[in-house]
Amino acid sequence: MEEWEIPTSLGPTEAKENTSSPIVNRSCENLECYMVLTEAEKTAIGSICFLGGPITLLENALVLGVIAATATLRQRPSYLFIASLALADVFASCFFTTSFLDFHLFRRSDGPTAYLFKLGGVTMAFTSSVGSLLLTALDRYLCIHQACSYKVMLTRRRALLSLLILWSATIFISFLPLMGWRCPTVLSPPCSSLFPYINQGYLACWTSFILVLLALILWAYALILWKAHRHVSSMTNLQGAAGTGQARMRMDIRLARMFGLILLILVGCWLPALSFMLVDVSVVLTHTQQRAFAFCSTLCLVNSAVNPLLYALRCRELRVALLQLLQRLCETGRCKQTTDDLTSQLPSKEDNNCTAFTENNEMPRTLRSISEMVNDEKKNFRE
């Protein structure tokens, strides 16, 4: 039986075959068979984690702090979803960075319980992150598709209830291996080439679940773009102005670029790692493929670092609240620098606008005009 253990003496040809050929009959007495990174790869991945982990933590902690310190933002369902996303990414920056470095760089071999507990924390963080992205996409879809009844449909209580369901389901799914759904053969042979003690059935179910969430996010943003395009076209036909055609083109291009960037980063960061997981269910991976998966998994951390820039700091209200918070901190510390009065720029609690949709207020004005256009059409039909 061919072992996963790396022989003590290998020639150049044998070493090349060991890293590029699949291993069918496997046995692994300890976790050394999963620690396949070379010294150069450890340096590269360690640099990514040591740099990306603190940056991700600081960005998302800043977003959480601003939302928690601003009463107006805490009342808005859109910002509750953004806060949930930031919290999940804070967990991802902590759990993934420490677990990944501890395992691949410092080569710490934990027992089944300790390893599955750490892996459950990482799984919970990333699953909650993708789930919060889906809630944010659905919130934006309702904002543009049900502009008239948006505030009635999506109240703060319903938003909190959806977040409670999301996090409860995420915690339950993530710690299923710790509760017993693990590899029946343990490590002789291991069930998965990527994760020790993980059952292939669980890996297939979790990967499929994440792919379904990503597909729903893509579907929601596609509907948003289509609805916005139809609305702008309707406004052009009603106004009949000469310059509205160019304005509509600029609006469509701007929305397409924004949503294209969001979806490109989302798919580009998640699809490589998920592809390796799907392949691992049916095919035995080589050491080269294991090392490639280690690099692809760091892209999920990169996605958590980019999320605050795409979903939180693009919102004008959150940026204004951040400046106001900094102003209060300066005043508390007796800072002599003065800033403009930003209190009047904050949205009120009765604001019905979905201003977390874009960077400025141009899109929310477009969303509000949907209800006005529908009401006008109803009046014309009655007359």
Side-chain angles (χ1 to χ4, degrees), residues 26-31 33-34 111-112 116 182-192 195-199:
R26 303 174 298 172
S27 177
C28 186
E29 298 297 334
N30 49 44
L31 301 184
C33 51
Y34 293 92
L116 292 177
R182 62 183 67 179
C183 180
T185 59
V186 191
L187 296 176
S188 301
C191 296
S192 171
F195 304 101
Y197 313 115
I198 292 298
N199 188 289

Side-chain angles (χ1 to χ4, degrees), residues 28 90 96-97 111 123 143 189 235 248 277 280 320 323 325 374:
C28 186
V90 165
F96 176 82
T97 303
T123 306
C143 183
M235 293 296 296
R248 183 189 68 179
M277 293 181 190
D280 182 46
V320 171
L323 293 178
L325 179 62
V374 172

Side-chain angles (χ1 to χ4, degrees), residues 18-299:
N18 184 60
T19 58
S20 60
S21 60
I23 302 174
V24 180
N25 298 320
R26 303 174 298 172
S27 177
C28 186
E29 298 297 334
N30 49 44
L31 301 184
E32 291 292 328
C33 51
Y34 293 92
M35 304 174 184
V36 295
L37 297 181
T38 63
E39 292 300 324
E41 292 168 345
K42 289 181 182 179
T43 302
I45 289 185
S47 301
I48 295 174
C49 291
F50 279 119
L51 181 63
I55 292 177
T56 305
L57 177 61
L58 292 176
E59 287 178 340
N60 290 282
L62 179 64
V63 172
L64 276 177
V66 172
I67 295 177
T70 308
T72 308
L73 299 183
R74 293 198 305 267
Q75 302 299 321
R76 304 276 296 280
S78 300
Y79 288 101
L80 291 179
F81 297 145
I82 292 177
S84 174
L85 175 62
L87 179 62
D89 289 336
V90 165
F91 288 152
S93 65
C94 296
F95 296 154
F96 176 82
T97 303
T98 55
S99 300
F100 195 84
L101 293 177
D102 199 30
F103 184 81
H104 285 288
L105 265 69
F106 304 117
R107 303 176 68 85
R108 179 173 179 175
S109 299
D110 294 315
T113 302
Y115 178 85
L116 292 177
F117 179 78
K118 292 180 180 179
L119 184 62
V122 176
T123 306
M124 178 197 68
F126 284 132
T127 308
S128 300
S129 180
V130 177
S132 299
L133 289 176
L134 176 60
L135 291 180
T136 302
L138 294 178
D139 170 65
R140 295 176 173 182
Y141 170 74
L142 290 176
C143 183
I144 190 173
H145 188 69
Q146 301 290 339
C148 301
S149 57
Y150 169 78
K151 187 179 179 181
V152 177
M153 292 180 58
L154 189 59
T155 61
R156 186 174 186 271
R157 179 176 297 180
R158 290 179 180 177
L160 291 175
L161 179 61
S162 64
L163 290 177
L164 178 62
I165 295 174
L166 168 66
W167 282 90
S168 300
T170 296
I171 294 173
F172 176 75
I173 293 172
S174 301
F175 288 97
L176 279 176
L178 187 63
M179 292 185 286
W181 193 2
R182 62 183 67 179
C183 180
T185 59
V186 191
L187 296 176
S188 301
C191 296
S192 171
S193 303
L194 300 177
F195 304 101
Y197 313 115
I198 292 298
N199 188 289
Q200 286 185 329
Y202 172 81
L203 184 61
C205 291
W206 183 83
T207 306
S208 302
F209 176 67
I210 297 298
L211 287 174
V212 170
L213 295 183
L214 294 177
L216 291 176
I217 294 173
L218 296 176
W219 171 78
Y221 278 116
L223 289 180
I224 291 172
L225 186 60
W226 173 72
K227 185 70 175 180
H229 173 75
R230 285 190 57 188
H231 168 66
V232 176
S233 300
S234 300
M235 293 296 296
T236 303
N237 294 332
L238 290 176
Q239 295 176 1
T244 54
Q246 296 180 355
R248 183 189 68 179
M249 184 178 300
R250 287 194 299 268
M251 174 70 71
D252 291 343
I253 293 176
R254 185 162 56 252
L255 288 177
R257 286 178 178 175
M258 183 183 68
F259 292 143
L261 179 63
I262 291 175
L263 299 180
L264 179 62
I265 293 177
L266 183 65
V267 174
C269 290
W270 276 98
L271 193 59
L274 294 176
S275 300
F276 276 106
M277 293 181 190
L278 286 179
V279 173
D280 182 46
V281 174
S282 57
V283 178
V284 179
L285 301 182
T286 64
H287 290 319
T288 302
Q289 293 168 333
Q290 286 178 294
R291 295 200 298 270
F293 171 76
F295 277 95
C296 292
S297 61
T298 59
L299 294 177

Side-chain angles (χ1 to χ4, degrees), residues 338-376:
T338 59
T339 57
D340 296 333
D341 185 10
L342 301 175
T343 304
S344 60
Q345 300 182 25
L346 284 175
S348 61
K349 293 182 179 180
E350 292 78 12
D351 189 3
N352 297 335
N353 302 335
C354 305
T355 49
F357 188 84
T358 58
E359 183 176 2
N360 49 43
N361 284 335
E362 186 170 353
M363 192 61 205
R365 287 197 299 269
T366 305
L367 298 180
R368 292 196 303 269
S369 60
I370 292 180
S371 59
E372 298 175 359
M373 183 180 65
V374 172
N375 293 332
D376 292 340

